[in-house]
Amino acid sequence: GPKIKIHQDDDSSGAYSTNFIQVLGHDQMVYVKWWDVHFLSNGTEQDHLMFKRMPLGDATIGKTIELTGNNARPTDIGHDSVIAVGANNVYALWSEYSNLPSSQVSLILRASQDGGFSFGDAVDLNSKYNPNSGMSSAQIVTSENNLYVAGNNMSPSLGILFGASSDSGKTFSFTNVDAEAIPEFPLSQVMLVMSIASVILFYRMRFRK
């Protein structure tokens, strides 16, 4: 069909930049997420992380929701943003650097239990579950009421944090995947070296014959 503009400029002055676009389809619905930067004529900027829900095949209708507020610096919001859909639940996850140039990162989650019509309050997973480490560059995946999140462990050492929720994102349990895998690594190294040595020995014996 004909192209339809789903991004509506609130102000004709200045210019818009749209980034971090993602589209998902689920149960005859289409979900779109994007990050708006509005460059105003007075030299200032306004930033919004936007979400739109619309029926499949008719983008002219549907609800548009601003996931983020407009109280942060342009480079602070919208980073690593991602949405996921499962059952009647829709989730939005993104990073905020609210204290630049500080390295502190907030990992914000907002959940909808009505198919994207409305979203609950924003929850900072880093401050709530990992105040001493934190997660960045996170991704999410969902199955029914189960939600899983994984990302880089920022401190005290780099690694991978994995979180699981069985109640639609209300509560999480986190574990450091790398920390649990480290004890097995030396054994796997030994096995790999023995395997390579066996192959080399086999071919040398075969060559001598």
Side-chain angles (χ1 to χ4, degrees):
K3 64 180 182 181
I4 299 171
K5 183 178 180 181
I6 65 173
H7 165 213
Q8 300 296 324
D9 298 344
D10 296 328
D11 190 342
S12 58
S13 64
Y16 278 85
S17 175
T18 303
N19 301 285
F20 304 112
I21 304 166
Q22 182 185 0
V23 59
L24 293 176
H26 177 74
D27 196 20
Q28 301 301 308
M29 298 299 299
V30 177
Y31 306 92
V32 184
K33 175 269 301 176
W34 69 94
W35 182 32
D36 265 348
V37 181
H38 186 194
F39 301 94
L40 301 175
S41 55
N42 61 5
T44 62
E45 301 178 14
Q46 294 180 349
D47 295 70
H48 315 270
L49 188 61
M50 306 299 295
F51 171 87
K52 185 175 179 65
R53 175 190 190 275
M54 49 198 173
L56 183 64
D58 191 355
T60 60
I61 61 176
K63 186 174 183 179
T64 302
I65 297 175
E66 181 180 355
L67 296 173
T68 56
N70 189 33
N71 58 354
R73 289 163 51 181
T75 55
D76 290 350
I77 63 176
H79 290 262
D80 307 317
S81 56
V82 62
I83 57 174
V85 183
N88 203 38
N89 302 317
V90 182
Y91 305 95
L93 186 78
W94 69 91
S95 297
E96 287 189 3
Y97 300 81
S98 56
N99 297 314
L100 284 178
S102 170
S103 60
Q104 182 64 38
V105 179
S106 297
L107 186 65
I108 307 299
L109 174 71
R110 291 192 69 182
S112 170
Q113 297 181 350
D114 56 9
F117 276 108
S118 62
F119 283 80
D121 295 336
V123 178
D124 185 356
L125 299 184
N126 279 350
S127 64
K128 188 173 183 179
Y129 295 102
N130 304 293
N132 298 322
S133 57
M135 183 188 301
S136 65
S137 303
Q139 295 290 318
I140 52 175
V141 64
T142 180
S143 175
E144 298 299 331
N145 291 325
N146 300 311
L147 179 63
Y148 308 96
V149 56
N152 293 331
N153 188 9
M154 299 181 61
S155 63
S157 60
L158 295 179
I160 299 175
L161 280 176
F162 175 80
S165 171
S166 59
D167 54 7
S168 303
K170 294 183 179 66
T171 59
F172 280 87
S173 60
F174 279 87
T175 182
N176 192 326
V177 177
D178 282 9
E180 294 192 357
I182 286 175
E184 301 176 6
F185 184 72
L187 179 60
S188 63
Q189 268 191 324
V190 174
M191 294 179 64
L192 178 61
V193 172
M194 291 178 62
S195 299
I196 295 174
S198 299
V199 171
I200 294 175
L201 180 61
F202 171 78
Y203 275 96
R204 280 187 175 182
M205 292 177 62
R206 185 177 181 183
F207 178 77
R208 288 177 180 178
K209 291 181 179 180

